[in-house]
Amino acid sequence: MTVQMRLSGDPEEIEVMVKVLAVVFQLDGSGRLYTNQGATGVRCYLTARIPNKHDRSEPSTPDQHR
């Protein structure tokens, strides 16, 4: 199962949220932060997958948030 995610908010809060999500999900994406247009904060796009039981040994996060 795979879903596309868009996180939006304060850069530091997004970084924390990505680390929390990485505990449960396998995350793919650049981890690049984009400035929100017409709103405050930034946004980040990720792909989240539920790892199979053999892949759960270490969290996987986008490169910028490691």
Side-chain angles (χ1 to χ4, degrees):
M1 177 185 300
T2 302
V3 296
Q4 302 286 321
M5 298 174 29
R6 176 184 171 200
L7 306 177
S8 180
D10 180 73
E12 291 81 19
E13 291 176 355
I14 289 177
E15 185 172 348
V16 170
M17 183 61 69
V18 168
K19 289 177 182 177
V20 171
L21 290 169
V23 172
V24 177
F25 301 105
Q26 178 183 5
L27 301 177
D28 292 319
S30 68
R32 182 174 174 194
L33 298 176
Y34 299 90
T35 302
N36 282 334
Q37 298 187 8
T40 60
V42 297
R43 65 190 185 278
C44 176
Y45 299 92
L46 301 171
T47 300
R49 290 182 188 82
I50 298 173
N52 64 41
K53 62 183 176 182
H54 301 294
D55 295 336
R56 292 185 183 226
S57 58
E58 293 185 28
S60 171
T61 60
D63 293 331
Q64 181 177 351
H65 297 286
R66 286 186 185 195

